[in-house]
Amino acid sequence: MLQNTGDLAVLQPNDTLADLPLTPGSVATSLYLHVPFCVHKCGYCDFYSITSQADRQDAWADAIVAELNALLSRVEVAPRTVYVGGGTPTLLEAATWAGLMQRLAERIDLSPLREFSVEANPETVTPGLLATLRSLGVNRLSIGCQSFQPDLLATLERAHDPASVRSAVAMARDAGIANLSLDLIYAVPGQSLDQLDADLDALLDLAPDHLSCYSLIFEPGTALTARRDLGRVRPIDNDLEAAMYRRVIHRLHDAGYEHYEVSNWARPDRACEHNLAYWTGDHWLGLGPSAASHIDGLRWKNAPHLGRYLGSPGDPPIRDVERLAPDAAVGEALMLRLRLRQGVSLDWLDPRVPPGSARRDTIDRYTATGMMAITEHRLRLTDRGLMVADALLGELL
């Protein structure tokens, strides 16, 4: 049974969803569904996924509904955004999608949805599947391009070819899904600035509404990290990686995209509302194996194991349960909000991080060195600060 110790909810052995100390009357305004199925486990990916098991799709959907049913007596689910990630959500059969969404709509009101996003791998989309998704209310597709260079795709162990990205974009638009986001990974071993420019040219030719551009991270436990440790791949130089980030920033700015978060750009009014809920500390409910949730300051994550998830329908095992102490919650909120280019208002900052506090001293130091700036009564990262955002923001926790 979960025990509250001060401001921390302590996880006990064998705790499950039923043990969570949820606050009565809690409301989740965003909903995340995790689809664990993939065609292939890419070498750099540390998200929970397993190779495709079509015979378990319907059981997964049943367990999603059971988990929601179990929570509805304790949490009001009134989503403004829904995001389906993975894994590869576009591996689900159209009939599985239709049945799942019908059952969700019978239990929660989806009519106020402003944004319904689905992640897609380009080689897995078809006109029929996209037509089904559109009929179910999906209005945003996030397509994993990662690169348009065959050699870099091979390094990343991606299963698609560049032509399939263009085909997927055309099919999505033909299906009436107009709000498209494309993902790019840069700083791939062996990549040059010329190759990055070619990738940016290809992305901009497709004229998406949103772009996520991430520097490759060698995550612990991934196949790519193991290859690095064995000397089979070599990370690119830090200076080249910084030059690549600057190139992305300048190219996308010149193309008319707003740089609204450290790694995200959008056309006007096309920022990802669901991800903004994460960065601004809103309340979201995650369903599915490995899905994370945050409700009224309480956070938890379902165990990343499909078999255990299916074996305990409605009451999956959980992990990483915590309720941050007030000071730690302020540090995390500040760190996340400063990832947004708009930064934080001084009206928000001053009562939470007053002059003379240790965090304010850190902010003053970085403001003095040009890593942060106060403009229009808001604290923001500068362009220099963006180059070292993760390390800098980590000091504010």
Side-chain angles (χ1 to χ4, degrees):
M1 177 68 69
L2 283 172
Q3 298 176 353
N4 282 311
T5 304
D7 290 295
L8 184 66
V10 181
L11 187 68
Q12 304 299 310
N14 302 315
D15 274 330
T16 62
L17 196 65
D19 299 307
L20 281 173
L22 288 164
T23 304
S26 298
V27 180
T29 53
S30 291
L31 180 65
Y32 173 80
L33 308 181
H34 188 78
V35 180
F37 309 111
C38 261
V39 173
H40 164 74
K41 181 73 171 180
C42 297
Y44 64 91
C45 179
D46 72 334
F47 293 108
Y48 174 64
S49 63
I50 58 176
T51 53
S52 181
Q53 298 181 20
D55 59 331
R56 301 176 87 183
Q57 287 188 12
D58 288 339
W60 167 86
D62 291 342
I64 290 284
V65 174
E67 184 180 5
L68 178 62
N69 283 340
L71 284 162
L72 282 177
S73 62
R74 307 166 69 198
V75 177
E76 180 184 352
V77 183
R80 298 189 296 265
T81 69
V82 171
Y83 194 103
V84 186
T88 307
T90 42
L91 275 180
L92 295 179
E93 298 289 340
T96 302
W97 271 108
L100 173 61
M101 292 311 302
Q102 178 182 340
R103 287 186 286 172
L104 294 184
E106 290 169 352
R107 289 160 174 80
I108 57 178
D109 183 8
L110 297 175
S111 62
L113 273 185
R114 297 198 297 255
E115 182 184 273
F116 187 170
S117 301
V118 171
E119 289 182 350
N121 281 6
E123 76 279 11
T124 63
V125 300
T126 64
L129 175 62
L130 292 173
T132 295
L133 294 180
R134 185 69 192 98
S135 72
L136 296 172
V138 173
N139 57 15
R140 184 176 183 274
L141 202 68
S142 179
I143 301 174
C145 305
Q146 318 315 354
S147 177
F148 290 83
Q149 315 300 313
D151 59 327
L152 300 183
L153 289 172
T155 298
L156 295 171
E157 299 183 28
R158 295 291 293 181
H160 70 272
D161 60 58
S164 65
V165 176
R166 301 180 183 93
S167 176
V169 168
M171 283 189 281
R173 287 177 171 148
D174 287 344
I177 304 176
N179 189 356
L180 299 181
S181 178
L182 303 181
D183 287 359
L184 179 74
I185 294 178
Y186 63 92
V188 180
Q191 186 179 21
S192 67
L193 270 173
D194 286 343
Q195 285 181 308
L196 174 60
D197 273 327
D199 276 346
L200 291 170
D201 287 341
L203 284 178
L204 294 173
D205 283 345
L206 293 171
D209 301 280
H210 186 281
L211 287 160
S212 297
C213 300
Y214 303 106
S215 174
L216 178 67
I217 297 174
F218 287 83
E219 299 285 2
T222 62
L224 185 62
T225 297
R227 289 164 60 201
R228 179 202 64 185
D229 294 344
L230 291 170
R232 294 175 182 170
V233 297
R234 182 179 178 182
I236 69 167
D237 178 81
N238 288 340
D239 290 339
L240 177 56
E241 181 176 347
M244 288 182 169
Y245 185 37
R246 288 192 292 270
R247 184 70 58 88
V248 171
I249 291 171
H250 295 151
R251 290 285 311 271
L252 298 187
H253 174 270
D254 290 346
Y257 288 88
E258 177 191 0
H259 188 187
Y260 74 96
E261 192 271 344
V262 170
S263 301
N264 288 274
W265 290 256
R267 299 286 191 193
D269 300 319
R270 291 300 199 183
C272 180
E273 292 190 40
H274 186 87
N275 286 342
L276 284 170
Y278 297 154
W279 294 316
T280 57
D282 211 340
H283 302 164
W284 70 88
L285 183 65
L287 305 177
S290 84
S293 301
H294 171 257
I295 305 290
D296 286 337
L298 183 69
R299 302 186 301 199
W300 71 92
K301 183 177 181 180
N302 290 343
H305 193 288
L306 180 62
R308 295 176 66 193
Y309 183 75
L310 299 183
S312 304
D315 193 23
I318 55 176
R319 56 187 291 184
D320 303 334
V321 181
E322 60 181 348
R323 180 179 281 117
L324 294 180
D327 182 69
V330 167
E332 181 175 278
L334 180 60
M335 181 269 291
L336 290 172
R337 288 168 185 258
L338 280 173
R339 290 188 63 87
L340 299 171
R341 295 309 313 272
Q342 68 178 11
V344 297
S345 72
L346 297 187
D347 289 341
W348 184 92
L349 182 70
D350 288 342
R352 295 171 174 84
V353 188
S357 65
R359 271 194 198 97
R360 195 58 170 252
D361 289 345
T362 300
I363 290 170
D364 291 343
R365 173 163 50 90
Y366 280 122
T367 301
T369 56
M371 297 291 186
M372 295 181 178
I374 295 176
T375 57
E376 300 175 350
H377 304 289
R378 301 186 72 86
L379 175 70
R380 300 180 174 91
L381 291 179
T382 64
D383 288 347
R384 286 182 59 202
L386 278 176
M387 297 295 112
V388 290
D390 288 343
L392 186 156
L393 295 179
E395 291 193 40
L396 298 174
L397 286 174

